Amino acid sequence: MQHQDDGPVLARLARLKAMTVNELKSEWQTLMGSTPPNNSRTFLEQRLAYRIQELTYGGLPKPVSRLLDALADEVEGKKVRSTVISDPRNPVIGTRLVREWDGVEHVVTVLQGGFDWQGRRYKSLSAIARDITGTQWNGYRFFGLRENKRGAA
């Protein structure tokens, strides 16, 4: 979506491409108020471009920001926030999810605000999938759960 006064923002974004890495780092210091975390030109350009737009048009709405923070905590295994993320893919409490992996059948029970696998409580299916496989998985995909599309039976 374009705004009527996008010209100055677009020009400022275009100037980022012409800057040296040192100039980008200086711009970082100005816009972020901190030392740049690395010397990656791509990283600096992308974050600065986002910051310029954020300062001009506003940042993410609070509910979206809170949801992203909660999701980051879940991925990192932190239990900082007490809110539980409600996901429409979660089956009814008490549902048993069954998945075979490397010839072993794994059964997960859906609990209120979490899941039980092998007598241990988990906050997310992704954490269970990671423990089962040893690699990062989207837990909903691993257990075959999909978000219902409108009009689907």
Side-chain angles (χ1 to χ4, degrees), residues 6 12 15-16 20 36 51-52 75 85 93 99 101 114 125 127 129 149:
D6 281 345
R12 197 164 172 199
R15 280 196 299 274
L16 292 175
T20 66
R51 183 69 175 147
I52 289 167
V75 167
I85 301 167
I93 294 169
R99 168 69 196 259
W101 182 261
L125 287 172
K149 301 288 185 214

Side-chain angles (χ1 to χ4, degrees), residues 46-79:
Q46 289 174 347
R47 286 294 296 125
L48 287 169
Y50 179 86
R51 183 69 175 147
I52 289 167
Q53 293 171 83
E54 179 182 46
L55 290 171
T56 305
Y57 304 121
L60 294 172
K62 277 289 183 205
V64 172
S65 182
R66 279 194 296 272
L67 177 61
L68 289 173
D69 286 342
L71 288 170
D73 286 349
E74 182 177 321
V75 167
E76 294 170 4
K78 295 179 182 175
K79 195 170 182 177

Side-chain angles (χ1 to χ4, degrees), residues 12-31:
R12 197 164 172 199
L13 295 176
R15 280 196 299 274
L16 292 175
K17 289 286 184 197
M19 290 182 174
T20 66
V21 170
N22 282 336
E23 290 171 330
L24 289 169
K25 289 168 77 173
S26 177
E27 187 73 4
W28 181 283
Q29 185 69 43
T30 302
L31 292 175

Side-chain angles (χ1 to χ4, degrees), residues 4-138:
Q4 287 183 355
D5 56 350
D6 281 345
V9 172
L10 294 174
R12 197 164 172 199
L13 295 176
R15 280 196 299 274
L16 292 175
K17 289 286 184 197
M19 290 182 174
T20 66
V21 170
N22 282 336
E23 290 171 330
L24 289 169
K25 289 168 77 173
S26 177
E27 187 73 4
W28 181 283
Q29 185 69 43
T30 302
L31 292 175
M32 306 291 201
S34 65
T35 305
N38 63 52
N39 293 324
S40 165
R41 172 178 200 83
T42 303
F43 174 84
L44 294 170
E45 282 179 11
Q46 289 174 347
R47 286 294 296 125
L48 287 169
Y50 179 86
R51 183 69 175 147
I52 289 167
Q53 293 171 83
E54 179 182 46
L55 290 171
T56 305
Y57 304 121
L60 294 172
K62 277 289 183 205
V64 172
S65 182
R66 279 194 296 272
L67 177 61
L68 289 173
D69 286 342
L71 288 170
D73 286 349
E74 182 177 321
V75 167
E76 294 170 4
K78 295 179 182 175
K79 195 170 182 177
V80 177
R81 290 166 186 81
S82 61
T83 58
V84 175
I85 301 167
S86 175
D87 193 304
R89 295 170 293 186
N90 282 351
V92 186
I93 294 169
T95 300
R96 291 171 26 124
L97 307 172
V98 180
R99 168 69 196 259
E100 186 177 319
W101 182 261
D102 282 344
V104 178
E105 185 177 85
H106 298 276
V107 179
V108 173
T109 304
V110 179
L111 306 172
Q112 183 170 347
F115 305 91
D116 176 84
W117 176 64
Q118 296 186 336
R120 293 187 313 221
R121 187 177 179 94
Y122 288 79
K123 188 175 173 185
S124 74
L125 287 172
S126 296
I128 297 170
R130 182 175 50 248
D131 283 356
I132 291 171
T133 66
T135 60
Q136 291 283 58
W137 270 86
N138 175 304

Side-chain angles (χ1 to χ4, degrees), residues 142-153:
F142 181 79
F143 285 99
L145 301 172
R146 299 276 191 267
E147 189 170 354
N148 290 336
K149 301 288 185 214
R150 283 200 180 149

